[in-house]
Amino acid sequence: DTGVSQNPRHKITKRGQNVTFRCDPISEHNRLYWYRQTLGQGPEFLTYFQNEAQLEKSRLLSDRFSAERPKGSFSTLEIQRTEQGDSAMYLCASSLATGGPKNIQYFGAGTRLSVL
Amino acid sequence: DAKTTQPNSMESNEEEPVHLPCNHSTISGTDYIHWYRQLPSQGPEYVIHGLTSNVNNRMASLAIAEDRKSSTLILHRATLRDAAVYYCILRDSAQKLVFGQGTRLTINP
């Protein structure tokens, strides 16, 4: 049983460059979430998908951010024209859609982005 | 989302029980209480959840006050591997998790 996989684990980029992260969820999970975590803070929700449909986006997700889940399996998160404030850990989680508020999310180890 | 309040940090000794408190005075009748923890350099990990009754699993126990305005996560015998940030989260749906700052637990050998 493989868990949630995120690649790359670390990314260093220069300000103004575009970056893309990938998340592979647990295979039978139809929900996929993206969160962002800055140093010393708890994770903050960015967006989530049910299958290939993007159902909710946070106000944190500026127009430089785009997320896709084209076939309802893996997802990508792209940040265009990166800024130093984008430096953070980007976490992906997956879950089943069932269970209501008892539902459990399973997290990957995250991608740490450093913008120089 | 209903708000939770946790101490910023706690310290305990190895092999002793640890009680991590969480206040949620504005909890609604349909909110479940979830606990996640985040070990260093890892993503959050589910620990336990409950609604009204106390709950036990292989990782921990969850004690819920009768009025549901507070709860306590109990680690029965802490190990060094339990050093983490513990988050108490209220959920009324299967959607996003809303994390606070959590409690940073330090375990002394």
Side-chain angles (χ1 to χ4, degrees), chain A residues 20-113:
Chain A
T20 300
F21 311 139
R22 177 177 169 127
C23 172
D24 288 89
I26 293 171
S27 58
E28 63 268 26
H29 285 181
N30 49 5
R31 283 202 175 168
L32 187 148
Y33 307 79
W34 286 98
Y35 293 83
R36 181 174 72 182
Q37 185 173 26
T38 53
L39 209 59
Q41 304 297 315
E44 296 173 289
F45 169 78
L46 291 177
T47 188
Y48 90 94
F49 294 83
Q50 181 157 319
N51 300 315
E52 62 273 12
Q54 190 171 17
L55 296 186
E56 186 177 351
K57 291 196 287 188
S58 159
R59 277 177 249 171
L60 291 175
L61 212 66
S62 77
D63 55 8
R64 295 185 298 106
F65 287 68
S66 63
E68 293 183 343
R69 195 181 182 200
K71 295 184 180 178
S73 56
F74 73 91
S75 175
T76 58
L77 177 68
E78 181 184 17
I79 308 174
Q80 296 183 327
R81 304 181 304 281
T82 53
E83 302 172 356
Q84 288 182 327
D86 297 330
S87 295
M89 175 76 83
Y90 290 85
L91 293 160
C92 176
S94 71
S95 75
L96 295 171
T98 53
K102 295 180 284 186
N103 177 284
I104 295 169
Q105 292 185 16
Y106 297 84
F107 284 79
T111 294
R112 181 167 295 286
L113 173 66

Side-chain angles (χ1 to χ4, degrees), chain A residues 9 31 33 35 37 40-43 45 48 56 91 100-105 107-109, chain B residues 30 32 34 36 38 41-44 46 49 87 91-97 99-101:
Chain A
R9 290 293 313 276
R31 283 202 175 168
Y33 307 79
Y35 293 83
Q37 185 173 26
Q41 304 297 315
F45 169 78
Y48 90 94
E56 186 177 351
L91 293 160
K102 295 180 284 186
N103 177 284
I104 295 169
Q105 292 185 16
F107 284 79
Chain B
T30 55
Y32 276 74
H34 283 246
Y36 282 72
Q38 188 170 21
S41 301
Q42 294 190 27
Y46 168 78
H49 74 270
Y87 297 99
R91 299 188 75 192
D92 63 357
S93 73
Q95 296 173 20
K96 64 191 177 193
L97 293 170
F99 291 84
Q101 299 250 30

